[in-house]
Amino acid sequence: MTTAPTILVTGASSGIGAHCARALHREGWRVFATARNDADIAALAADGIEALYLDYAEPRSIASLADEVLRRTGGTLDALFNNGAYAQAGAVEDLPVEALRHQFEVNVFGWHDLTQRLVPIMRAQGHGRIVHCSSILGLVPIRFRGAYAASKHAIEGLMLCQRAELEGSGVHVSLIEPGPIASKIATNGLPWFERYIDHENSVHRAAYQAQLARLRQGGVKSRFKLGPEAVYGALRHALVSRTPRPHYVVTTPARIGVALKRLLPARMLYRFLSDKG
């Protein structure tokens, strides 16, 4: 009897994480998935997923999660999908240090903490897959997304270094860089924008009004926005391929952004990007 492969998926309350957790479960994986709200945890559990609490801003919850998953599996884990995050919007000049610190606590330090707890397990068993859901903004920045872009740039640098350090161990690290994906990331980011950004007294007030209108309607409406299944296709390849890629760029706008970064002179690229966001 073949034992089901095991994976921990974070940020599974909605969007990419929720879709990927359920899709992996349907394919026969033993899925541990995390959320912060009781209702979301219950919904995952109702679908046969082993749902657990995690808040990346709470180090104690990270330690408890890792310990509980390893207790249930008998000390093994085949894969980790770091996905839970939020997007702090706002111009860099309007960004309080507290806001930037919290963005990094959730999007970088929490990811590192959880990953660091699981890498020794994967090294000891001689195999493992670690996949991080980064963003195209980790490669190509746009205005008013400085905090989020900085956190994703940090993940790109940190985890690519770890990828090199794990060479030959049987543990593979991949990064997924999605462009526009249908999710609640814009809606979930709105409270953080309103909490930290003094948008009424900013020199960017007019631009913020347009930003707020888009956030309140759930983000930009675009025919290029794909469903979370597009990310699942990349995740599945990273998990099961014998040769997983370091990078998976998802959506046409993301691929265009990467191509322009390669082809255009820097000044021209940044002038073009200054109209985005």
Side-chain angles (χ1 to χ4, degrees):
M1 182 175 180
T2 302
T3 302
T6 55
I7 185 168
L8 172 56
V9 178
T10 69
S13 60
S14 63
I16 291 169
H19 178 89
C20 290
R22 289 180 169 90
L24 287 164
H25 176 68
R26 287 193 297 271
E27 289 203 10
W29 287 71
R30 183 181 181 186
V31 179
F32 300 92
T34 75
R36 291 184 301 159
N37 298 324
D38 290 343
D40 295 326
I41 292 172
L44 289 163
D47 288 336
I49 293 167
E50 296 181 60
L52 300 162
Y53 175 82
L54 171 68
D55 186 333
Y56 278 123
E58 298 174 4
R60 188 174 298 176
S61 79
I62 298 171
S64 296
L65 170 69
D67 289 346
E68 179 61 16
V69 169
L70 294 175
R71 184 190 70 78
R72 294 190 189 188
T73 64
T76 68
L77 189 69
D78 295 308
L80 166 65
F81 181 36
N82 270 317
N83 169 72
Y86 78 97
Q88 173 68 60
V92 173
E93 65 189 290
D94 292 334
L95 195 66
V97 172
E98 181 185 2
L100 188 61
R101 185 175 287 118
H102 192 267
Q103 179 81 108
F104 269 65
E105 188 68 46
V106 174
N107 290 16
V108 182
F109 304 143
W111 288 30
H112 173 65
D113 189 352
L114 181 58
T115 304
Q116 191 175 42
R117 293 173 186 277
L118 298 175
V119 163
I121 302 301
M122 294 180 177
R123 270 194 181 276
Q125 67 194 17
H127 71 273
R129 299 294 169 98
I130 301 171
V131 185
H132 303 286
C133 195
S134 181
S135 168
I136 186 57
L137 298 188
L139 303 175
V140 182
I142 60 174
R143 61 179 186 159
F144 304 131
R145 297 295 185 272
Y148 183 68
S151 73
K152 293 304 184 180
H153 273 72
I155 284 295
E156 294 278 335
L158 186 69
M159 300 310 180
L160 286 173
C161 287
Q162 185 169 62
R163 180 180 185 275
E165 294 154 6
L166 287 168
E167 188 73 34
S169 69
V171 183
H172 300 275
V173 176
S174 297
L175 292 141
I176 301 176
E177 289 98 357
I181 296 290
S183 74
K184 293 184 178 180
I185 192 166
T187 303
N188 292 341
L190 181 56
W192 297 103
F193 176 82
E194 293 177 326
R195 175 175 179 176
Y196 284 121
I197 304 300
D198 184 9
H199 52 90
E200 289 293 337
N201 297 305
S202 170
V203 296
H204 300 288
R205 183 177 183 277
Y208 284 155
Q209 296 306 311
Q211 290 278 314
L212 280 168
R214 288 201 292 269
L215 283 171
R216 286 168 178 155
Q217 70 176 9
V220 177
K221 306 296 183 184
S222 170
R223 62 189 177 91
F224 294 110
K225 183 177 285 189
L226 300 181
E229 65 276 4
V231 176
Y232 179 66
L235 172 62
R236 191 178 184 284
H237 188 277
L239 293 175
V240 304
S241 172
R242 293 183 63 184
T243 54
R245 303 171 197 159
H247 299 277
Y248 292 85
V249 180
V250 180
T251 77
T252 297
R255 287 191 288 272
I256 290 173
V258 169
L260 291 178
K261 187 175 183 179
R262 291 172 179 164
L263 297 173
L264 293 181
R267 185 175 298 177
M268 187 179 298
L269 171 67
Y270 297 136
R271 186 180 300 122
F272 170 78
L273 293 174
S274 68
D275 295 329
K276 309 302 176 184

